[in-house]
Amino acid sequence: MKFMIRRWSAARGAAIAAIAAVGRRRIARAASERVQAKQGEAMKRSIFRVPPLALAALALIACAHPPVAKAPVPALKDVVAADTASSAPYRPGTLAEHPELTPEEIGRRFLALIDSLKSFDELSGERVQKVMRLSLTRLSEKDEGFLTMTLPDSAWRYSFSYGIDPKYRRYTNAVLEFINENERINRGLLEDMEVVCGLDFNAYEAALTGMGFKNEHASYGELGQLLALQYVRNDVRVQIMPRREANAPDTKLNHACVESISIHPLDS
């Protein structure tokens, strides 16, 4: 009887060990699949950025396009105050409603906001309102707001947002980004940026250079793709995320546009 109990215990232990081994194999396989999925996603996303060019090559690409005129900061008397709070449900704006707020115009206003900041601590909701002259949506009592504008007959839209965090300076920022709805749904797509590339990489960089910003360094992804360029003046850091206009033809493949541009403190 004892012998049978020992045999049963041994068999039970072996069964438990076998089940555990199967579980470990499943966990390992799932982990491997997650890693492969991340690698595949990184490969697909790498086409969303400008190929890993030297900074000099980016400059050569940009030289084919004239620089944008420096956007002046409007005088206080010329600024029309916009309502920054609304109880109505939010919906994106359209160019049909605001024909003056083209991607080029919003880019110029964002550049004017950048140029108005001699120190990063000058970035505030009041400064944003005076310079950007936008009717922003606010979802709370915090000093933050945003605007989204859809473009006609296109999956493209742009989004401007800012947030001021008085406690944690590194979380204070302002961002302008261009977003494609088809790409958001299908990460493998690369839609033509022509409709949002009226101000291209060259235009933004030329404007920043004219303001006295210096190109400090570039950031690269794990696959070697160029992710972002950093420009610095005093304690203000501006980040540009460039991207090729399209995969074809070669003129668009080699033309650098801007996917996003943002303002940050230098020490963040």
Side-chain angles (χ1 to χ4, degrees):
M1 187 67 173
K2 292 181 179 179
F3 175 72
M4 291 179 66
I5 292 173
R6 283 196 297 270
R7 287 188 60 185
W8 178 82
S9 299
R12 182 173 179 271
I16 292 173
I19 292 171
V22 170
R24 286 193 296 270
R25 286 196 296 271
R26 287 178 178 173
I27 293 171
R29 183 166 61 249
S32 176
E33 289 173 353
R34 286 196 298 270
V35 170
Q36 291 175 3
K38 288 182 179 180
Q39 290 174 341
E41 183 66 22
M43 286 295 292
K44 287 189 292 184
R45 287 299 297 167
S46 68
I47 68 171
F48 284 85
R49 311 296 179 196
V50 179
L53 304 173
L55 297 183
L58 266 176
L60 289 175
I61 291 172
C63 286
H65 302 270
V68 63
K70 183 177 178 180
V73 178
L76 181 59
K77 63 183 179 61
D78 297 328
V79 174
V80 177
D83 181 14
T84 58
S86 174
S87 59
Y90 175 75
R91 67 175 180 82
T94 68
L95 283 187
E97 299 169 318
H98 307 280
E100 75 284 2
L101 295 180
T102 63
E104 295 78 20
E105 176 61 20
I106 197 71
R108 293 187 186 97
R109 295 190 189 191
F110 194 80
L111 287 169
L113 176 63
I114 293 172
D115 196 26
S116 74
L117 302 175
K118 307 311 175 187
S119 166
F120 183 78
D121 289 335
E122 294 177 354
L123 181 61
S124 65
E126 183 180 4
R127 174 63 60 94
V128 168
Q129 203 59 48
K130 287 180 179 179
V131 179
M132 297 292 289
R133 294 167 292 154
L134 299 172
S135 181
L136 301 177
T137 297
R138 296 180 62 179
L139 301 179
S140 70
E141 296 302 316
K142 296 179 180 179
D143 193 358
E144 57 189 18
F146 68 93
L147 168 75
T148 301
M149 191 71 63
T150 59
L151 305 186
D153 304 318
S154 171
W156 284 100
R157 68 180 187 271
Y158 68 72
S159 174
F160 166 77
S161 63
Y162 85 93
I164 309 299
D165 191 320
K167 186 175 181 180
Y168 298 104
R169 187 169 182 259
R170 65 183 180 275
Y171 296 137
T172 294
N173 58 57
V175 182
L176 173 62
E177 57 185 336
F178 300 96
I179 305 161
N180 187 280
E181 184 64 16
N182 294 335
E183 292 179 1
R184 189 185 67 80
I185 296 171
N186 184 347
R187 306 285 284 183
L189 289 178
L190 180 74
E191 298 283 84
D192 194 317
M193 289 193 75
E194 181 176 358
V195 296
V196 292
C197 198
L199 288 184
D200 60 6
F201 169 80
N202 173 58
Y204 281 99
E205 183 177 62
L208 291 175
T209 301
M211 298 172 193
F213 280 83
K214 304 296 183 183
N215 188 335
E216 292 293 326
H217 66 274
S219 303
Y220 294 89
E222 294 179 357
L223 302 176
Q225 72 274 25
L226 178 61
L227 296 179
L229 296 160
Q230 312 293 333
Y231 301 83
V232 174
R233 185 183 70 183
N234 301 330
D235 65 341
V236 179
R237 176 173 63 87
V238 175
Q239 175 177 278
I240 291 182
M241 297 181 69
R243 167 180 151 172
R244 58 184 178 272
E245 183 178 341
N247 278 334
D250 285 349
T251 53
K252 291 192 173 187
L253 177 65
N254 296 319
H255 180 211
C257 299
V258 169
E259 192 167 27
S260 72
I261 178 171
S262 51
I263 306 170
H264 308 270
L266 179 60
D267 54 4
S268 68

